[in-house]
Amino acid sequence: MKLKHLLVLPVFTAMGCQPVQPGSYDSYEDYPVVEGQWEEMLYAPASTRFSLWAPTAEEVNLKLYADGQGGEPLRVLSMEAAEDGLWRVRADGDWKGRFYTFDVKVDGVWLGDTPGVWAKAVGVNGDRAAIIDLDDTDPEGWGQDTRPELNSFADIVIYEMHHRDFSIDSLSGVARRGKYLALAEEGTRSAQGQKTGIDHLKELGVTHVHILPSFDYSSVDETRLDQPQYNWGYDPKNYNAPEGSYSTDPYAPDVRIREFKQMVMALHKAGIRVVMDVVYNHTAVTEGSNFERTVPGYFYRQTPEGGFANASGCGNETASERAMMRKFMVESVKYWVNEYHIDGFRFDLMGIHDLATMRAIREELDKIDPTIYVYGEGWAAGAPQLPADSLAMKNNIGLLARIAAFSDEFRDSLRGPFGNDAQGAFLAGYAGHEAGIRFGIAGGVEHPQVNAGAGHQVPKFWALEPTQFISYVSCHDDLCLADRLKATLPDASPAVRKALHKLAETAVLTSQGVPFIFAGDELMRDKQGVHNSYNSPDEINAIRWELKKQNRDVFDYVRALIELRKAHPAFRLGDANLVREHLEFLSAEDDNVVAFRLNGQPAGDTWTDITVILNARDKATAVSLPEGDWQVVCRDGRIDPVQGLGTVAGGEVRVGARSAMILHR
Ligand code: CA
């Protein structure tokens, strides 16, 4: 490990605190740690205080600027070493509306301007931090904003969306297309008269909107928003300020903050919670990142050879196990909750983070509000530089109470394997994936019948509770569902693909795990076969709202599935023991059929005996049910959980090709 030297004489801090003896550190574990709040800028009309944690610095300058870009500094102030590796300075006078950067000298080299690691407001492209009073950014009514009620994680239905995908279509009827404010616009209609925007979300009935990265990321140039640009945003620059390209004015630091809050408030008013996609596992650049320009090496893991480790596949991997990186993540999520009223977090490549950090995050969020939901990708892009048993990987989810992970097993059993877009599975009519479907239906918890049949076996029941299991068939990554069905069944008719689309959504929304829908799948949106569309143009990524009219039956089907799930607690038992006791898989004679019964009684469901049959065959199947009068609510691609679709007697029940049947008595 590289040694860091400090050759500065003892100094007294500007605040008149204890004398400080900066030292040299043999390892990152020896670096001092900031106690209490980690603030880099505290504004007051009389003076603004700045502090930067830079324990290996020899000198630190603060530069004050008139604007967010360009021009010479108005002033350069030399900061003074203080306690805990901090450097401090005070700028007298009222600096509101101005901008600042730090410049840190380490080993004789000035590292270059950085807004610091904790900038809460930034100018265009996030190159300079801004001096603002956060209270000025609260929209009217913000003080009364409250989270929509949530009794249990089991009640959650997640909708994953990108701001631009969701509203950029010129037929969306939205005025602020591609912006935060698109989600605050009521009454929007497509050119065909269908509800769009937030009205669409209300109509669909989802409980949570998961917004793709909306912190300040680097790939979209905020100075040329008049030109077409697109990125998912998994390239973090400033973790604690909103992205500028989704605001109506990326130059005005307060605007993106205020508009983000307006979006959250509007969604809350609509009864919808907001999940942020967070990407603490890597930064967009390594050399030149805010971390590297502040405390070189510290925030990232190194390989044994001393280079930057790269489990993210993006050039670096952060070091959550180090005290100040852990503190950074914990305080950052708390900040988004407290300042922006965020209701949940989705951790990108969560498997890069260590278990202790994820536990600390859960613990701190619980202190604020235990209904805040946390889930993540339980994997990494490469092997992280920590022992496997200490990482927040899917197989360690049992060690992370009340944190969930995506189930790639359920996804792949439905649509086919990651890495081979043309290979199908259950939906494409291939036998042998029944165990993976049962695993998904049971929400990933140990269940005696999941591995009972022939074919592939599920290797590990990794969820201790079904609320730790995200059920999905597609997300922003890879092909979306419509494209995957096209790729795996190139000769199938549109009607067949539509039937399978509905069947897939039925599996996801009748799973005991937490259902997750990729925005636009409810309209059978496609991405023209592009699987890694992270920087594809709008033509690929935008939801085309004319689809809502065109595929209205798919939308109504998904909407009704959500309605069914909300009305019937048997589909969301929320407890592993209840799932084991009250979810029973029925034997099916044919391959490619999964059938199960739910006892609704213990959950207080008005439907005491529910049967769901998923038939992915290209022909009908028959399943034996007990004799009796069964009310059919879903059959042959139609669903009506309220009025029902008639009755059948028990005995042999026939289920049409590529369709689901749901009945109760
Ligand atoms: Ca940006």
Side-chain angles (χ1 to χ4, degrees), residues 48 89 107 112 134 263 276 284 330 375 378 402 407 414 426 446 485 554-555 565 592 607 617-618 623 631:
T48 300
V89 76
D107 290 341
L134 277 170
M263 168 190 72
M276 249 184 103
V330 170
Y375 55 103
R402 307 180 63 252
S407 172
L414 284 164
F426 184 76
E446 188 161 6
L485 289 170
V554 176
F555 172 77
R565 186 178 180 90
N592 231 234
W607 295 356
R617 298 169 69 78
D618 59 3
V623 173
Q631 310 287 322

Side-chain angles (χ1 to χ4, degrees), residues 225-407:
L225 295 180
D226 51 336
Q227 293 163 47
Q229 296 181 74
Y230 182 95
N231 209 284
W232 282 341
Y234 293 92
D235 52 314
K237 187 161 179 178
N238 292 289
Y239 285 102
N240 300 302
E243 162 61 12
S245 63
Y246 302 136
S247 75
T248 59
D249 183 358
Y251 292 86
D254 58 320
V255 170
R256 59 178 81 187
I257 300 175
R258 187 176 302 108
E259 290 177 350
F260 194 114
K261 289 176 177 177
Q262 283 176 268
M263 168 190 72
V264 172
M265 198 163 71
L267 286 164
H268 282 175
K269 214 177 121 208
I272 298 167
R273 289 186 170 218
V274 185
V275 173
M276 249 184 103
D277 199 330
V278 287
V279 191
Y280 297 109
N281 67 79
H282 75 277
T283 53
V285 295
T286 313
E287 302 290 349
S289 72
N290 296 332
F291 285 152
E292 275 301 280
R293 286 188 173 185
T294 305
V295 192
Y298 182 86
F299 294 98
Y300 301 101
R301 293 187 189 133
Q302 285 76 25
T303 61
E305 295 74 38
F308 286 99
N310 184 23
S312 70
C314 300
N316 57 71
E317 83 186 64
T318 55
S320 59
E321 70 282 9
R322 289 180 198 152
M324 286 297 278
M325 183 62 206
R326 177 173 300 160
K327 185 182 175 76
F328 181 78
M329 289 172 62
V330 170
E331 293 203 1
S332 181
V333 295
K334 281 170 66 178
Y335 175 69
W336 283 102
V337 170
N338 291 326
E339 187 64 33
Y340 290 90
H341 303 180
I342 290 296
D343 310 290
F345 296 93
R346 175 268 192 197
F347 282 80
D348 185 63
L349 300 184
M350 184 169 72
I352 287 180
H353 306 314
D354 68 303
L355 291 166
T357 298
M358 292 310 299
R359 282 195 204 106
I361 285 169
R362 183 68 265 179
E363 211 168 288
E364 288 299 313
L365 291 176
D366 279 342
K367 287 181 197 165
I368 302 171
D369 185 339
T371 68
I372 293 168
Y373 195 47
V374 175
Y375 55 103
E377 293 183 307
W379 50 72
Q385 302 287 317
L386 277 189
D389 62 359
S390 68
L391 293 166
M393 293 286 187
K394 189 181 62 184
N395 282 340
N396 294 332
I397 279 292
L399 303 168
L400 288 172
R402 307 180 63 252
I403 294 179
F406 288 91
S407 172

Side-chain angles (χ1 to χ4, degrees), residues 14 180 192 235 237 253 269 307 341 384 392 453 502 559 624 633 636:
Y180 298 123
Q192 295 79 23
D235 52 314
K237 187 161 179 178
K269 214 177 121 208
H341 303 180
K502 290 176 176 174
R559 184 190 51 71
S624 309
V633 294
D636 296 326

Side-chain angles (χ1 to χ4, degrees), residues 152-156 158 345-347 350 355 358-359 362 366 370 372-379 391-410 439-446 460-472 511-516 565 571-577 579-580:
S152 161
F153 292 157
D155 299 347
I156 292 172
I158 300 168
F345 296 93
R346 175 268 192 197
F347 282 80
M350 184 169 72
L355 291 166
M358 292 310 299
R359 282 195 204 106
R362 183 68 265 179
D366 279 342
I372 293 168
Y373 195 47
V374 175
Y375 55 103
E377 293 183 307
W379 50 72
L391 293 166
M393 293 286 187
K394 189 181 62 184
N395 282 340
N396 294 332
I397 279 292
L399 303 168
L400 288 172
R402 307 180 63 252
I403 294 179
F406 288 91
S407 172
D408 50 337
E409 302 92 344
F410 191 27
F439 178 73
I441 294 297
V445 301
E446 188 161 6
K460 182 176 165 109
F461 297 101
W462 48 263
L464 280 192
E465 296 294 343
T467 47
Q468 290 184 298
F469 185 94
I470 302 290
S471 297
Y472 74 123
S511 158
Q512 294 292 330
V514 172
F516 173 105
R565 186 178 180 90
F571 293 104
R572 44 186 169 85
L573 294 167
D575 176 277
N577 287 325
V579 171
R580 281 186 280 270

Side-chain angles (χ1 to χ4, degrees), residues 122-126 215-222 235 237-238 242-245 256:
V122 294
V124 71
N125 279 333
F215 50 79
D216 179 39
Y217 62 78
S218 92
S219 51
V220 168
D221 184 347
E222 300 173 8
D235 52 314
K237 187 161 179 178
N238 292 289
E243 162 61 12
S245 63
R256 59 178 81 187

